[in-house]
Amino acid sequence: MDKQRIAVDVAVLGAGIIGSCCAYNLARSGLKVALIDPARPTAGSSGACDGFLSVSTKAPGITMDLAVASRALYPDLVAALGGEVEFERQDSMLVVEDEADLSKIAAHVDTVRATGSDIAMIERRAICTHEPTLNPDMAGAALTRGDFKVSPYRMTFALARAALAQGAIALWNDKPVAFDIAGGSVRSVETDRAIVTAEQFVFAAGVWSEALGAMVGLTIPVVPRRGELVVTDRLAAPPRHVLVSAKYLTAKADPDAAKTSPDPLVRLGHGFVLETTATGQCVIGSTRTFSGFDRSSSAEGVGAIVSEAVRRVPSLARAQVLRSFAGLRPFVPDKKPIIGRSGRLSNVLVATGHEGDGITLAPITGALIAALVRGQSASLDITALTPDRFATAA
Ligand SMILES: Cc1cc2nc3c(=O)[nH]c(=O)nc-3n(C[C@H](O)[C@H](O)[C@H](O)COP(=O)(O)OP(=O)(O)OC[C@H]3O[C@@H](n4cnc5c(N)ncnc54)[C@H](O)[C@@H]3O)c2cc1C
């Protein structure tokens, strides 16, 4: 059977939150877009994660700058999507378990505050006044006012649907099998069902980006970093804040510690985080391990998540655990996302490698990619995120 022939301005490969947000921004600006995915929009990380939209959990520098810009875009984007995505303001608390970490976290809080965030350390004795569910044994905490949360699953589908409403063509459950490359640019992508010719291509395949890049000779070194989460039934009195521990920041920033530490929690990349969903259930995490593409949750990981959560929020001891699941964070060895135009294939742009930050960073990533596709300058200096940094290193 002959394959369907489709001609568009831009083909977006990958319909997770990043690809869907790129497709939405591109279609909204009047371009003809195809959104291609071998599965469906929430098949990857965007359907197996939390939806905490924060600045304080981001690495200082370009990632934090992206988070500030992205969080500012969220309210208008959600309003434009029109659907219910469980976008809500929820203040967050960064809890410090050990005295030894206090000065490091206080310095981090100063850095976050300098970006314009409303964050401050709070006195030890005031912690439980702000958050009565917390164990009073904490060494300290920082309170952020004005963080948000969203249902990542609903947000991803809302973006994909909004792209289609703007005229984008969905090629879902349709796997790219070959590319036609000539004269330093890609002419078309062949999928199981179609041959899609496009002026420009956006690669947004999350943890599958390395394999996708290899199909056209690009090095896109994204590695899956598994994260496990536990979901409880709804609580009568859930925490008022999204809770994140100082150790979460360390586990995220220092993947090498997991290789050498004698501490089993550090080896699991454990860092406590708790978010309450719109239904009052708690999503509690998380671990960080390099386990290939294995998306199962382990007894070891789930056990650590539950016992460490109860240590910080004692009332969770009576909570009913409903299920556990795992997602794969798209990790890049230099710990920065990859966003920009390839210098090697001039009509390919890459948008991936957001690790544990992709739900937060989707709006700014979509806006940046749309600007670059249209030949406009980026609203932030994203030179450090260029896909060419790996090709150069090689
Ligand atoms: C446990 C956990 C908790 C998290 N919590 C948060 C949080 O609170 N806040 C936050 O901001 N972020 C969080 N994240 C991070 C976030 O989930 C990811 O950064 C984000 O989902 C990545 O989106 P993506 O679109 O790049 O990837 P994905 O959602 O994985 O989408 C990639 C898509 O590409 C498709 N694909 C695969 N191969 C190909 C191919 N060859 N061609 C075309 N398409 C292809 C896949 O089918 C998939 O649909 C968390 C992640 C995990 C695992």
Side-chain angles (χ1 to χ4, degrees):
M1 197 180 74
D2 278 352
K3 293 191 176 182
Q4 188 186 1
R5 290 196 171 264
I6 297 171
V8 291
D9 297 313
V10 192
V12 178
L13 290 101
I17 196 163
I18 299 296
S20 294
C21 199
C22 292
Y24 169 67
N25 277 274
L26 290 162
R28 203 181 52 140
S29 73
L31 295 169
K32 196 166 177 199
V33 175
L35 181 56
I36 303 170
D37 197 296
R40 60 191 160 74
T42 53
S45 317
S46 308
C49 62
D50 282 321
F52 180 34
L53 309 176
S54 65
V55 172
S56 62
T57 57
K58 308 298 178 269
I62 182 67
T63 306
M64 196 176 275
D65 294 345
L66 288 169
V68 171
S70 206
R71 200 173 54 171
L73 294 174
Y74 246 103
D76 284 349
L77 177 59
V78 167
L81 295 178
E84 176 47 67
V85 294
E86 296 173 16
F87 177 70
E88 278 174 38
R89 179 186 150 152
Q90 190 168 25
D91 297 346
S92 71
M93 200 179 263
L94 182 57
V95 293
V96 189
E97 296 89 344
D98 297 337
E99 295 278 348
D101 289 333
L102 269 178
S103 57
K104 194 175 66 185
I105 293 300
H108 179 72
V109 165
D110 288 343
T111 305
V112 178
R113 193 184 312 108
T115 69
S117 287
D118 182 357
I119 185 170
M121 295 298 290
I122 50 176
E123 286 195 33
R124 189 177 190 154
R125 62 174 184 275
I127 296 174
C128 288
T129 313
H130 288 284
E131 183 49 74
T133 63
L134 268 179
N135 185 333
D137 212 16
M138 297 294 126
L143 182 65
T144 303
R145 297 185 197 278
D147 274 334
F148 293 98
K149 62 184 182 182
V150 73
S151 159
Y153 189 90
R154 286 174 180 262
M155 186 68 189
T156 303
F157 260 116
L159 285 163
R161 266 198 301 266
L164 304 194
Q166 298 282 345
I169 300 163
L171 291 167
W172 298 346
N173 297 309
D174 199 4
K175 189 175 163 51
V177 290
F179 287 86
D180 180 14
I181 302 172
S185 61
V186 176
R187 290 210 304 221
S188 62
V189 56
E190 181 179 349
T191 67
D192 287 332
R193 300 200 304 266
I195 295 173
V196 183
T197 308
E199 297 293 323
Q200 306 198 54
F201 293 79
V202 177
F203 284 15
V207 294
W208 297 275
S209 295
E210 184 162 44
L212 180 61
M215 290 176 78
V216 296
L218 288 184
T219 304
I220 310 177
V222 174
V223 182
R225 195 178 190 193
R226 184 174 64 163
E228 293 159 273
L229 292 167
V230 167
V231 185
T232 71
D233 202 351
R234 59 190 78 186
L235 304 190
R240 296 173 182 169
H241 300 84
V242 177
L243 301 174
V244 185
S245 77
K247 294 192 188 306
Y248 173 94
L249 300 189
T250 320
K252 184 178 184 183
D254 188 4
D256 290 337
K259 292 181 195 155
T260 51
S261 174
D263 181 341
L265 288 175
V266 177
R267 283 208 305 278
L268 278 171
H270 178 269
F272 168 67
V273 56
L274 183 151
E275 196 182 305
T276 313
T277 67
T279 59
Q281 295 170 278
C282 292
V283 182
I284 311 171
S286 66
T287 56
R288 277 186 155 80
T289 51
F290 294 104
S291 320
F293 285 84
D294 177 7
R295 269 182 63 168
S296 57
S297 54
S298 65
E300 187 187 23
V302 170
I305 289 168
V306 171
S307 59
E308 289 301 305
V310 170
R311 202 156 75 77
R312 289 157 179 93
V313 181
S315 58
L316 285 173
R318 295 182 299 280
Q320 189 188 350
V321 171
L322 293 182
R323 66 185 181 107
S324 65
F325 63 95
L328 302 174
R329 304 179 184 93
F331 171 86
V332 182
D334 69 4
K335 298 180 218 150
K336 289 194 279 283
I338 308 171
I339 305 173
R341 184 180 292 281
S342 163
R344 300 182 67 202
L345 285 172
S346 60
N347 66 343
V348 172
L349 295 97
V350 180
T352 189
H354 296 76
E355 215 266 5
D357 304 327
I359 308 303
T360 309
L361 301 185
I364 188 66
T365 305
L368 287 166
I369 289 291
L372 295 178
V373 163
R374 295 181 67 79
Q376 297 159 349
S377 49
S379 55
L380 284 170
D381 179 2
I382 52 167
T383 320
L385 308 182
T386 173
D388 295 339
R389 64 196 198 258
F390 310 105
T392 309

